[in-house]
Amino acid sequence: METLFILIIVAVIFYLIFSGSSSKPSSFNSSSIQTHREQNLSNQSENKLQKIENEKSKGSETRNVYEYKSQYEKTTSTSSSGSRRKRKSFSDYSYLSKITGSLVIKELPEQSFIEINKLPNKIEVINKEELERFEKHRNKIKEIIIRVPYYYEKSESKNIGESNIYVPANDAYINLESKAEDYFKNLNLIPIRTTLRIDNRIYNIFYLALNLDRHSLNPKIKSELLILKDNLNKRDLLQFSKFILGMPDFFVIDRKNSEFFFCEVKSRQDKIQDHQKLWFLKNIIDFQTKVQYKLLKFLPEKIYETFECSIAGLRYRCDSVYLSGINLKEKMILEKDPQNPHDSYAIKVIRKKDNKHIGFIPRSMNKEIWKYLGNYTLNDCYVTDVKRLSSSALNSHKVNIKIVFEVRNIKH
């Protein structure tokens, strides 16, 4: 019985050995393993993109695929040496993060319109080669300089895509785009804004000019689009209708000289953004059009730089009764205090009404304000808020002030 059991075990061992060897390839096939790895990478990439698409359809608040078909490239091409393929990182795709509102692009997406709820707060371009190429062609952008007396900045603009910087015009204030529009009209040119909002979308106007019958437009806009259609050839219309991201603010028609140009409006410190550089390369340089690209810059003769802070050290110099008597809009005087034993950049805050030294500029801001006091004119310094922090404390008041410097001799 024991002998029979041993024979059965031996037979099983021999069966396992020989069946394993017969299924094993006779030689090591590296190409088949390479193909298998590539297939795995391809499948993983497909799965990731499918997962994102599913999140999009479910209204997920994680990430939303934003761009076009070329983003679905799975892997980079195999090198001549047959080395392992490198899978693209997710940053190689174009996507919109709903959490940060940041759009990451490598190439300019072909879009004729964009949903307002998908407008990114920030656009990041990761194609460094194209950005370097832009510098070689920057000299093809012509600059128009307009001097204005001064301008000021509002917290936010009323309309999407418009500047929050306003300039004086006829006893009122208008934003830079409206000022540019007036400038071109005074030269008997026809400025047409390159985007138009219809319901919850922002459209490319060249696309609308090619599809006039699909949308109900008011007569003024329709007449502008007809002018556009009559003056541009169809080749240019088709090309410019493909892209909305990065497109300049205006398309300007000079009927007298039969010329056209795009115009981007910028303020003193505003620069051409990276996605605008991609648009310029794609539609002006690579497309080889006769349409020019111009940059209209508004440079003010005066700029008012402002600082806001709370007065430091009030409780050491003033009691609660005195601080309660300080009123809104009350003027303050700033005076450097270089002999201060605690801080060589100390700046005194003096109440103009009674010439009393009530406190100091906070240490976190005094160095910067010190420089402004030495280089620019102090235009104004006044109280914006007075608060009593606690009813129990005798001198627990907080006094906020606004400091306005008139910056002159700006280097443009």
Side-chain angles (χ1 to χ4, degrees), residues 139-384:
N139 58 354
K140 294 185 180 179
I141 298 177
K142 297 182 179 180
E143 284 195 4
I144 304 170
I145 304 296
I146 298 180
R147 302 279 178 177
V148 292
Y150 61 89
Y151 57 52
Y152 75 96
E153 185 175 330
K154 284 190 175 181
S155 58
E156 58 183 15
S157 60
K158 292 182 179 179
N159 300 317
I160 295 171
E162 289 191 347
S163 172
N164 62 340
I165 292 176
Y166 287 71
V167 294
N170 300 326
D171 299 325
Y173 295 97
I174 58 176
N175 61 25
L176 295 187
E177 286 78 12
S178 298
K179 185 73 174 178
E181 204 166 8
D182 291 345
Y183 168 78
F184 290 127
K185 287 178 180 178
N186 290 335
L187 296 175
N188 295 320
L189 304 178
I190 304 173
I192 301 175
R193 302 209 182 204
T194 56
T195 57
L196 178 66
R197 177 172 177 173
I198 302 177
D199 298 327
N200 293 320
R201 287 179 175 177
I202 297 178
Y203 283 87
N204 175 315
I205 51 107
F206 299 96
Y207 168 80
L208 291 175
L210 292 170
N211 300 275
L212 281 173
D213 299 333
R214 295 185 183 182
H215 304 277
S216 57
L217 305 169
N218 67 53
K220 180 179 179 296
I221 293 173
K222 199 165 186 177
S223 65
E224 287 184 345
L225 296 180
L226 286 171
I227 292 171
L228 196 67
K229 197 172 181 179
D230 292 341
N231 284 274
L232 266 183
N233 60 57
K234 193 166 185 178
R235 174 180 176 267
D236 286 348
L237 272 174
L238 285 170
Q239 175 65 21
F240 300 145
S241 69
K242 294 178 182 178
F243 306 97
I244 191 167
L245 287 180
M247 192 160 59
D249 298 305
F250 291 97
F251 183 79
V252 184
I253 299 174
D254 182 356
R255 279 184 163 176
K256 183 179 179 181
N257 299 310
S258 299
E259 292 180 352
F260 323 99
F261 60 89
F262 284 99
C263 184
E264 176 65 26
V265 180
K266 297 291 185 186
S267 62
R268 178 179 67 103
Q269 294 179 327
D270 200 4
K271 297 179 181 178
I272 298 176
Q273 304 298 309
D274 288 349
H275 63 289
Q276 294 173 334
K277 295 176 183 179
L278 291 186
W279 190 97
F280 170 76
L281 291 172
K282 192 86 172 176
N283 295 276
I284 303 297
I285 302 302
D286 297 342
F287 184 58
Q288 297 181 350
T289 179
K290 292 182 180 179
V291 179
Q292 296 180 339
Y293 189 108
K294 295 185 180 182
L295 190 65
L296 179 59
K297 295 198 76 171
F298 286 93
L299 302 182
E301 295 173 2
K302 295 180 184 179
I303 290 183
Y304 294 102
E305 300 284 355
T306 63
F307 298 88
E308 293 188 73
C309 64
S310 298
I311 300 175
L314 287 172
R315 62 195 181 98
Y316 300 111
R317 313 189 67 85
C318 310
D319 60 27
S320 182
V321 176
Y322 181 87
L323 293 175
S324 299
I326 296 177
N327 301 312
L328 294 179
K329 302 294 183 181
E330 193 170 319
K331 301 293 183 181
M332 296 289 167
I333 300 169
L334 300 184
E335 184 181 298
K336 291 183 177 180
D337 185 15
Q339 307 302 321
N340 190 294
H342 304 290
D343 187 355
S344 59
Y345 289 98
I347 300 172
K348 294 179 180 178
V349 179
I350 300 169
R351 189 184 184 192
K352 188 174 182 179
K353 184 177 180 179
D354 55 10
N355 207 34
K356 178 179 174 62
H357 174 205
I358 62 173
F360 293 89
I361 296 296
R363 190 186 292 263
S364 59
M365 297 179 66
N366 61 4
K367 282 188 179 181
E368 189 172 6
I369 294 176
W370 181 285
K371 292 177 184 177
Y372 272 77
L373 282 171
N375 295 295
Y376 303 113
T377 304
L378 178 61
N379 181 267
D380 206 353
C381 181
Y382 58 92
V383 176
T384 58

Side-chain angles (χ1 to χ4, degrees), residues 13-211:
I13 292 172
F14 269 90
Y15 173 77
L16 292 173
I17 292 173
F18 283 105
S19 63
S21 62
S22 63
S23 62
K24 187 176 180 179
S26 58
S27 61
F28 180 75
N29 191 340
S30 61
S31 61
S32 64
I33 292 177
Q34 177 72 19
T35 305
H36 181 66
R37 286 174 175 170
E38 292 168 2
Q39 186 61 40
N40 283 341
L41 292 174
S42 175
N43 291 338
Q44 291 173 19
S45 181
E46 286 284 4
N47 291 338
K48 175 177 279 188
L49 291 169
Q50 186 59 45
K51 182 179 178 182
I52 298 165
E53 278 291 322
N54 292 339
E55 290 173 349
K56 178 184 177 182
S57 62
K58 292 176 183 177
S60 170
E61 290 300 317
T62 53
R63 282 174 174 166
N64 174 19
V65 171
Y66 188 81
E67 300 291 351
Y68 49 110
K69 292 181 180 178
S70 64
Q71 73 178 353
Y72 294 101
E73 297 170 330
K74 300 175 186 66
T75 54
T76 55
S77 59
T78 309
S79 64
S80 58
S81 61
S83 60
R84 180 179 177 180
R85 292 189 184 192
K86 293 181 179 179
R87 184 170 51 160
K88 284 191 173 185
S89 66
F90 198 78
S91 61
D92 286 317
Y93 301 103
S94 301
Y95 67 91
L96 177 70
S97 168
K98 285 188 175 180
I99 296 174
T100 63
S102 177
L103 173 65
V104 180
I105 60 174
K106 190 171 185 180
E107 297 177 11
L108 204 64
E110 291 194 12
Q111 290 177 290
S112 299
F113 59 85
I114 185 171
E115 304 286 345
I116 288 178
N117 61 359
K118 291 182 180 178
L119 277 174
N121 295 327
K122 180 184 177 183
I123 301 176
E124 180 184 354
V125 175
I126 58 175
N127 194 334
K128 303 304 179 187
E129 294 81 6
E130 285 292 274
L131 298 181
E132 289 174 1
R133 189 163 74 93
F134 170 81
E135 299 302 325
K136 297 178 182 178
H137 296 283
R138 182 187 280 272
N139 58 354
K140 294 185 180 179
I141 298 177
K142 297 182 179 180
E143 284 195 4
I144 304 170
I145 304 296
I146 298 180
R147 302 279 178 177
V148 292
Y150 61 89
Y151 57 52
Y152 75 96
E153 185 175 330
K154 284 190 175 181
S155 58
E156 58 183 15
S157 60
K158 292 182 179 179
N159 300 317
I160 295 171
E162 289 191 347
S163 172
N164 62 340
I165 292 176
Y166 287 71
V167 294
N170 300 326
D171 299 325
Y173 295 97
I174 58 176
N175 61 25
L176 295 187
E177 286 78 12
S178 298
K179 185 73 174 178
E181 204 166 8
D182 291 345
Y183 168 78
F184 290 127
K185 287 178 180 178
N186 290 335
L187 296 175
N188 295 320
L189 304 178
I190 304 173
I192 301 175
R193 302 209 182 204
T194 56
T195 57
L196 178 66
R197 177 172 177 173
I198 302 177
D199 298 327
N200 293 320
R201 287 179 175 177
I202 297 178
Y203 283 87
N204 175 315
I205 51 107
F206 299 96
Y207 168 80
L208 291 175
L210 292 170
N211 300 275

